Amino acid sequence: MEREVIDLYTLQQDMKGALGDLFPDRIWVRAEIAQMNVRSTGHCYLDLVQSEKGRVIAKVRGIIWGGYYSLLDAKFKGSTGKGISAGTEVLLRAAVNFHEVYGLSLVIDDIDATYTVGAQQLKRQQTIEKLTKEGLMDRQKGLRLNELPYYLAIISAEGAAGLQDFRRHLLGNAWGFAYRLDFFPALMQGEAAPESICDAMAAIAACGIRYDAVLLLRGGGSDMDLVCFDDYALAAAIARFPVPVITAIGHDKDFHVADMVACDHVKTPTALADMFLELTAAADGRITAYETRLALAFRSRMAALESRLAFAEKGIRSGVRGMVAAAEARVAMLEQKIAATDPRNVLKRGFSLALDAKGVKLAGASGVKPGDVISVMFADGRIQAGVEKVDVAK
């Protein structure tokens, strides 16, 4: 059998002619910009896609020549507030072009800016409006982050570079601050990501540990990669979570609904590590200040007590000296009284003292009878005598 053979160039030429017959005029095409690259020549090259359930079902190359790109970008930005960018769904006018070497492409000469915020941007706005109506946009803002955070739950993808950057920066800090980091893996892009992240949050809530914060980490990516963070179910779960949720899911140009509803957000995982180091450093500074104030207060109190003790000691010494002086005065007075009543001193004044035979003082003459022997004491001596007669006064 003879086979009909055609060379590749002829095939491409036939295809080019067929496409030219099929699309003789420019057409309006709805697609999403997956990637874009503006060359130094001013030409803009696009990857245009159509997705269904998170899967790309169609893809074609787009070109905006330099003479059109700057004008279309300015027009687009004037209507939408931002320039032409990846992740945006657009309605564009293009000529269908087929090249024998480069294949099929769309040569774009106009973009309908009134159509484009894109399906995702429209959905995002609807999500924000719904969360606002339900009172969820600022719910997390009412939670207070612990001044000295320690228990941190991390939601991120297995082996993510952003996660490694965060751990290295936080745990390798120069001050030796310590943290407990518990990892809960989840998908961080694609259609299944919101449900996966919500499952990780449910696991955190059920584990029984009262975490100081839940950290949602991702190191950035294309707009299409990060569109999952505009999902309503995920944003609502973050807003309702009882523990502060802090996000670090993109670079400077990214800001998602998940960032809006979270307790706080930063741009990168490294910036998030810095945030916690600053919190801990501030708390450490306050603790050091309290320690210094306590030491000063203790020293001041001790000085006051020592002063009071010295004053009391001085008072005690003064009181003791007074008591001693008073006692000495009383002793001297007693000595004077004793000296004044000493029988020897009485005898010196010319008195005498009569004693019976046993040496007991005689109180009077009635206790003596004739024949008794008595003694009579004088200042200069004693005499002993016998009683011949007793005269008792009547």
Side-chain angles (χ1 to χ4, degrees):
M1 293 180 60
E2 291 187 10
R3 290 180 292 184
E4 184 179 353
V5 177
I6 185 171
D7 61 80
L8 180 59
Y9 182 76
T10 302
L11 175 62
Q12 301 284 60
Q13 283 284 312
D14 290 346
M15 292 176 64
K16 182 176 182 180
L19 283 172
D21 293 338
L22 185 60
F23 302 105
D25 299 317
R26 291 178 177 84
I27 58 173
W28 287 94
V29 180
R30 184 175 62 247
E32 184 175 348
I33 301 173
Q35 300 286 344
M36 65 177 290
N37 182 15
V38 180
R39 301 287 178 83
S40 59
T41 58
H43 304 323
C44 178
Y45 295 90
L46 309 168
D47 285 341
L48 302 172
V49 299
Q50 181 176 341
S51 300
E52 186 175 285
K53 297 182 178 179
R55 183 174 63 90
V56 174
I57 61 174
K59 183 175 182 180
V60 71
R61 185 167 175 254
I63 303 170
I64 308 175
W65 300 122
Y68 286 100
Y69 174 69
S70 59
L71 296 175
L72 292 181
D73 188 59
K75 175 184 174 182
F76 189 84
K77 187 173 184 179
S79 299
T80 64
K82 68 174 187 176
I84 301 169
S85 61
T88 305
E89 189 167 336
V90 292
L91 181 62
L92 48 84
R93 189 176 69 180
V96 179
N97 182 65
F98 190 87
H99 191 275
E100 293 82 352
V101 176
Y102 301 110
L104 181 66
S105 63
L106 298 180
V107 180
I108 302 162
D109 66 358
D110 197 7
I111 297 179
D112 185 355
T114 60
Y115 172 85
T116 303
V117 173
Q120 291 297 340
Q121 292 295 325
L122 179 59
K123 184 178 179 181
R124 167 191 166 105
Q125 188 59 39
Q126 291 171 342
T127 295
I128 293 172
E129 291 173 359
K130 185 175 181 181
L131 291 167
T132 302
K133 185 177 180 180
E134 294 173 350
L136 296 178
M137 287 298 292
D138 296 323
R139 186 164 178 171
Q140 272 265 321
K141 304 299 187 292
L143 300 180
R144 185 178 180 83
L145 189 62
N146 194 331
E147 292 183 350
L148 190 58
Y150 174 74
Y151 288 100
L152 304 177
I154 301 174
I155 300 175
S156 190
E158 293 274 9
L163 172 62
Q164 301 309 316
D165 290 343
F166 173 79
R167 291 178 59 88
R168 182 168 52 252
H169 197 70
L170 184 70
L171 299 181
N173 68 85
W175 302 276
F177 298 150
Y179 303 88
R180 171 172 169 173
L181 306 180
D182 291 345
F183 178 59
F184 295 82
L187 299 175
M188 300 302 283
Q189 68 181 58
E191 184 180 7
E195 183 178 359
S196 180
I197 296 171
C198 288
D199 289 343
M201 293 174 66
I204 292 170
C207 74
I209 298 175
R210 177 67 179 181
Y211 288 102
D212 295 311
V214 175
L215 314 182
L216 197 56
L217 298 182
R218 179 187 162 86
S222 71
D223 288 351
M224 288 190 67
D225 289 340
L226 301 176
V227 74
C228 59
F229 294 104
D230 289 327
D231 181 79
Y232 167 78
L234 174 58
I238 292 173
R240 293 189 176 101
F241 206 72
V243 175
V245 177
I246 304 174
T247 60
I249 56 179
H251 298 300
D252 290 341
K253 67 185 180 67
D254 301 316
F255 189 60
H256 302 278
V257 179
D259 298 319
M260 297 178 188
V261 298
C263 179
D264 202 352
H265 77 281
V266 294
K267 293 301 181 182
T268 66
T270 300
L272 183 58
D274 285 333
M275 173 182 172
F276 280 98
L277 290 175
E278 289 169 6
L279 282 171
T280 306
D284 183 66
R286 288 192 295 271
I287 291 171
T288 301
Y290 293 149
E291 181 181 353
T292 302
R293 288 170 59 187
L294 183 61
L296 289 173
F298 179 77
R299 286 197 291 269
S300 177
R301 180 64 174 167
M302 287 299 297
L305 290 174
E306 288 174 354
S307 177
R308 289 174 60 186
L309 181 61
F311 182 78
E313 182 181 0
K314 182 178 180 180
I316 290 171
R317 287 178 179 176
S318 177
V320 168
R321 284 196 294 269
M323 292 172 64
V324 170
E328 288 176 346
R330 287 195 296 272
V331 169
M333 186 179 297
L334 289 173
E335 287 177 346
Q336 291 177 358
K337 289 182 179 181
I338 291 170
T341 56
D342 188 341
R344 289 172 296 184
N345 292 330
V346 174
L347 295 177
K348 287 179 182 179
R349 294 200 299 271
F351 294 94
S352 61
L353 179 65
L355 307 173
D356 63 13
K358 295 180 180 180
V360 178
K361 174 188 170 185
L362 293 174
S366 60
V368 180
K369 59 184 181 294
D372 288 344
V373 176
I374 63 171
S375 297
V376 181
M377 293 182 65
F378 298 95
D380 59 350
R382 174 187 301 196
I383 61 174
Q384 209 170 43
V387 179
E388 292 181 357
K389 181 180 179 182
V390 177
D391 291 329
V392 179
K394 295 181 180 179

